[in-house]
Amino acid sequence: MIRQQFSDGWAFRAKVNEFAELSRSVPAEPVTLPHDAVIVIRRDAGVDGGAATGFFPGGVWEYTKKFFVPQEWAAKRIRIEFEGVYRSALVYLNDDLAGRWASGYTGFSVKADDFLRYGEENVLRVEARAHRDSRWYSGGGIHRPVHLIVADPVHVALDGIAVTTSGIGHDRAVVHVATTIENEARRLSTVTVETTLFDAEDNVVAVDHAPVSALPGEDAVLRQRMTVPQPALWSVDSPSLYRASVTVRAGEDVIDEADTTFGIRTLELDAVRGFRINGEVVKLRGACVHHDNGVLGAAAIARAEQRRVELLKQAGFNAIRSSHNPMSRAMLDACDRLGVLVMDEAFDMWTQNKSDFDYALDFADWWERDIEAMVRKDRNHPSVFAYSIGNEIPEAGRPHGAIWARRLAERVRSLDSTRYVTSGVNALLTVMDELKAQAAARRAEGTGINTFMSDAGEMMNQIGTSDLVTERTAEVFATLDIAGLNYLDGRYELDQELFPNRVIVGSETFPTRIDQLWRLVMKYPHVIGDFTWTGWDYLGEVGVGRPQYRDEPGGFMASYPWLTAWVGDIDITGVRRPASYYREIVFGLRSAPYLAVRRPESRGREVVSSPWAWSDSIASWTWPGHETLEVEVYSDADEIELLVNGASTGREPVHRYRAEFEVPYAEGVVTAIAYRGGAETGRAELRTAIGEVALTATADRPVISAGVDDLAFVEITLVDRDGVLHTAADRRIEVTIDGPAVLQGLGSGNPRNTEPFTASAHSTFGGRALAVIRPTGPGDIRISVAADPGLTAEVLVTVEKIA
């Protein structure tokens, strides 16, 4: 089998009606996949429903690729595999419809044989569209990789190797490899299948071979059992991987080869001992994440996916929930390698729309194909511990919704019985009619939206623990292995009494309650973890986590020019926000205190922010023109002493991992000292950026690989002469590139931003910006950054040819 990347050499343009092209022509521009068609569009403050999508409009786009097909391939079987096209993809070969796919997130392949012209140039054309079909920024176009697959008529099916393990002990493990052989020839065929298992160092650890006969037009499944001695077990702390390599021979000729990575580990789950991997209890320190890559938009370039996983794990998370769609292959691979567990989610809606033209229009016809595509892709990834069949499904609290839940869950189990099934259930949706009546009463009483949102957490728990919710969610939870509770921590203790065999996960929770939530997770074994909304900030649902005040208009989402949700522990460029360090302390992973200062403009104002919103604070002691500041110190100590330039301003007790001070501002150093039982346990400090501003540029790696999968991330900062970040001296910076590369994206973490990510200039935010460089070939790349007045920085990245 020839499997080659098919992601370069494409042309892209907005789709135009063929009759309209008689009067005007729309030129195409060259692009390399993965590509986001939406991130290049100018945002529009007046776009319908724009707050949900970041004020990016939708559209219809056309991608084309010309490629030569050798005459000798006429005897082969040729497929084109798409990992993700958003959305309602139509695939044409030489202007004939060769395939279509409804979902924007699951992979599919198109059989190309009957549409190709052998010995000639061929044209592949893909249409994609996005229009009022998402509650967040979806992006658009071919946002995940594409592959060309050329195989003999008898071959291993795509994703046709399924690996499971049993009998796992310190001295051995039994590995079951089920390989599906497809026979697309005209006659019965008998082949020999040899499967070899390799460890992480590429040592052979087991081999098995057997003959397989398949009738024409039928599949044959070969099941092989092999014993691996002294297995290295996969876990979040030691993510050991193996590889299964399958070779298919007809006589002495090799006619196909395929492989897959996998891990050897056990999963156990019950309400008494909780969730266990290899017999050890694991509490899930979880992050919900959307699929966009910030300044890259929705493009799932492999290096960007891996970097997100790296930074999330460094921040203390050991699990990710893909919200609310199946995770990309590249991100799953990164989770496997780095030891991060995955709750992979299938759908955000079933039969009821959440947006005007969303997937609910396709669900009844397409759900089974999408479930199969997700499970087939995920089943060998040791990081995947659970499949989520849905998120906040409105019909889940009714009998027909429960029927759908059971149908989905059983289909998942029939495809993969080794993982657990869950779903994120929001109790409010199960009693929506009753809530509408209450909302009308609140409006009559004159209760404003700000007050309602600031009390949302308590309100959700009050409703969620009612007898009515208990009754309406009982059946849907009975279809699941793990009850996913969205914003329902009030049920954790209650359900232990009412449903003693129910296992719970906080599938979506408020970041501002993490201390209370984590205490419950650690207290109750039937509560296996917490997934905060969110681990990484995202485009769209603008301003749901913004600070809000009594003296300004409120609402769930903000207005233009808000761009991001501003609700992530990590911003869209990968910079950790104060909430991330607070969470790390709550998790017990950080002993040192952490200092943050509230922006002075919030001082004296009554805060009525939603429970998704952290305080409006940053780690900075550079506040020219201000006399008094409010300081937050996060710590697990008993009390904190705060010093300004060595002089104590007093001590404050720590409450809910936080101590607060109001102190006079003076340039220099502010220091927090933590005490427990009267003894110092740690300290932290912030320094003022003083004097002239300098510009720095630092690449995440000095050497990267040529090809479509790699990127260089260049962090751009404004600092003083001692390297202190200058948060009060933002500049507009410009990036130029000399060498075999393009500027794939440039931006900052600013949640209120009118600047595009596709230009060569952008303003810093809090003294920071991020440039993303995509190589176009081997060689040296010189990235130069400039800002007024006369500031420059330069960094060199070497691109090595792929062996």
Side-chain angles (χ1 to χ4, degrees), residues 242-312:
Y242 288 82
R243 179 168 60 91
S245 178
V246 174
T247 301
V248 182
R249 290 186 174 87
E252 296 299 318
D253 297 329
V254 174
I255 61 172
D256 201 10
E257 293 177 302
D259 62 12
T260 186
T261 56
F262 66 97
I264 299 174
R265 50 102 175 100
T266 63
L267 299 180
E268 297 173 279
L269 182 72
D270 62 66
V272 176
R273 293 171 295 174
F275 176 58
R276 302 177 303 286
I277 300 178
N278 305 324
E280 299 291 329
V281 173
V282 176
K283 291 290 189 176
L284 302 173
R285 305 189 301 268
C288 295
V289 296
H290 270 317
H291 72 294
D292 75 75
N293 270 307
V295 301
L296 301 178
I301 302 170
R303 173 56 193 158
E305 300 286 74
Q306 170 151 332
R307 177 176 178 264
R308 274 204 294 167
V309 179
E310 289 172 349
L311 295 178
L312 285 163

Side-chain angles (χ1 to χ4, degrees), residues 51-94:
T53 62
F55 299 99
F56 283 94
V60 183
W61 306 280
E62 179 181 86
Y63 293 79
T64 56
K65 179 180 175 65
K66 296 178 180 179
F67 63 106
F68 181 79
V69 178
Q71 183 63 48
E72 55 267 28
W73 284 7
K76 304 288 187 178
R77 295 295 176 265
I78 302 172
R79 289 178 181 263
I80 302 169
E81 181 188 46
F82 298 87
E83 292 189 25
V85 181
Y86 199 91
R87 190 171 85 84
S88 299
L90 297 173
V91 180
Y92 297 88
L93 273 164
N94 300 316

Side-chain angles (χ1 to χ4, degrees), residues 657-740:
Y657 297 90
R658 186 194 309 247
E660 299 182 355
F661 299 82
E662 186 170 311
V663 298
Y665 171 66
E667 287 187 353
V669 182
V670 60
T671 305
I673 305 173
Y675 297 93
R676 185 181 297 113
E680 180 180 335
T681 61
R683 61 175 59 197
E685 68 177 28
L686 295 173
R687 292 181 175 271
T688 306
I690 297 175
E692 294 185 356
V693 178
L695 189 63
T696 70
T698 307
D700 61 334
R701 293 168 300 149
V703 180
I704 63 175
S705 299
V708 300
D709 294 328
D710 212 350
L711 299 165
F713 287 83
V714 178
E715 296 182 1
I716 300 164
T717 54
L718 300 168
V719 297
D720 71 2
R721 63 178 179 271
D722 296 319
V724 177
L725 183 69
H726 214 310
T727 57
D730 282 320
R731 302 282 200 280
R732 185 168 172 82
I733 54 98
E734 185 155 0
V735 176
T736 57
I737 297 173
D738 181 20

